[in-house]
Amino acid sequence: MSMTDFEKAVRGVELFSRFDERELELLSAQSVVKRFSHSQIVFFEDEEAPYWYFVASGRLKAYKTDKNEHNISLCQLTPPMAVNDIRVTKNGFEGTMFATIEGMSEGMLLGLKVAALPLLFAQIRAFPTICMQAALYSIERYQRAFYSGMILDGTGKVAFMLSQDLERFNAMKKQDIAAILNIQPETLSRILGKLSRKGIIEIGSDIKVTDTESLKELYE
């Protein structure tokens, strides 16, 4: 792995860019950069992962497959979210994939060697705190996605994403948004039209929220 690739990946995982030059050298020795492309299956559900991966650039989606072979979308993964689980075992740490991970664009992952985590905890003083912050950020994003997906109806899901992630909403294609929210693209268009007619949003090259309180009432 070239240092250039590592430096690009670290810049994408903002928390890790706080380390000094010596600490980054230690981190680089225990890291890997993995590139992915649009529609590529990067990992399969329950696959063992020797690295703890973080999204450095691009977008991915996480989904599970039910017994009827239907894909159930869980959430979208964007920088600097963690991609996989890390578990504590009697032998140390192990990493597994909680879902199938598929690329929604080209991008890059930064992976930290799971077996080397105790060494990095010992070598880099701020490493435990940075890892905890990175994990908590990812958990918060997962909680948002699961709340939206499991509790709300279609209108509530769209309203919640517009309220919480408007920039990401505007950057994505409608079919990708619909897949993440587990609704049909036609349903998404219908909901956006309804919100526009009610004066809650304005639809142009980008969507603008014009009535924040009314939007919140749709999901709170």
Side-chain angles (χ1 to χ4, degrees):
M1 174 180 63
S2 70
M3 194 62 177
T4 300
D5 280 349
F6 175 75
E7 289 172 344
K8 288 180 180 177
V10 165
R11 284 197 294 270
V13 186
E14 190 274 332
L15 286 168
F16 294 162
S17 66
R18 299 178 187 178
F19 296 126
D20 62 31
E21 184 176 348
R22 184 192 69 84
E23 292 169 336
L24 287 175
E25 288 180 359
L26 294 171
L27 197 66
S28 175
Q30 306 296 341
S31 300
V32 67
V33 171
K34 184 178 181 69
R35 295 182 179 274
F36 59 88
S37 58
H38 185 273
S39 299
Q40 176 187 352
I41 302 298
V42 186
F43 302 107
F44 288 96
E45 184 179 349
D46 296 327
E47 180 180 340
E48 291 187 4
Y51 291 88
W52 189 13
Y53 288 100
F54 293 84
V55 185
S57 65
R59 295 178 289 115
L60 307 101
K61 60 182 177 182
Y63 62 86
K64 287 181 173 286
T65 304
D66 65 18
K67 62 182 180 181
N68 296 316
E69 298 300 315
H70 296 142
N71 292 337
I72 302 171
S73 180
L74 298 178
C75 60
Q76 181 181 175
L77 305 174
T78 55
M81 291 176 67
V83 174
N84 57 309
D85 293 330
I86 294 294
R87 301 172 184 171
V88 180
T89 71
K90 62 181 180 181
N91 297 318
F93 296 92
E94 67 176 25
T96 57
M97 289 295 160
F98 69 93
T100 297
I101 308 297
E102 179 179 334
M104 298 179 68
S105 69
E106 292 185 348
M108 182 186 298
L109 302 175
L110 174 63
L112 308 181
K113 189 180 295 183
V114 174
L117 289 178
L119 178 64
L120 292 171
F121 288 145
Q123 288 181 325
I124 303 175
R125 183 176 181 180
F127 189 72
T129 300
I130 294 296
C131 283
M132 183 178 69
Q133 291 173 334
L136 289 175
Y137 174 83
S138 299
I139 290 170
E140 188 268 338
R141 298 289 298 202
Y142 291 136
Q143 286 175 331
R144 281 190 189 184
F146 295 152
Y147 166 75
S148 173
M150 297 178 68
I151 304 299
L152 303 175
D153 61 10
T155 300
K157 291 177 183 180
V158 174
F160 186 80
M161 189 171 182
L162 287 171
S163 177
Q164 301 295 320
D165 286 303
L166 181 60
E167 182 178 353
R168 184 161 63 101
F169 191 102
N170 283 324
M172 294 174 61
K173 296 179 180 178
K174 283 188 177 179
Q175 58 263 37
D176 291 333
I177 297 171
I180 289 170
L181 299 180
N182 284 319
I183 59 177
Q184 295 298 316
E186 297 80 6
T187 302
L188 173 60
S189 296
R190 190 161 54 248
I191 292 170
L192 292 175
K194 181 176 66 175
L195 297 180
S196 176
R197 290 191 298 273
K198 290 185 174 181
I200 297 175
I201 63 172
E202 289 182 358
I203 301 177
S205 56
D206 282 337
I207 289 177
K208 297 180 181 179
V209 176
T210 53
D211 188 341
T212 303
E213 291 305 313
S214 294
L215 188 68
K216 286 183 178 180
E217 287 177 1
L218 297 173
Y219 65 83
E220 288 187 341

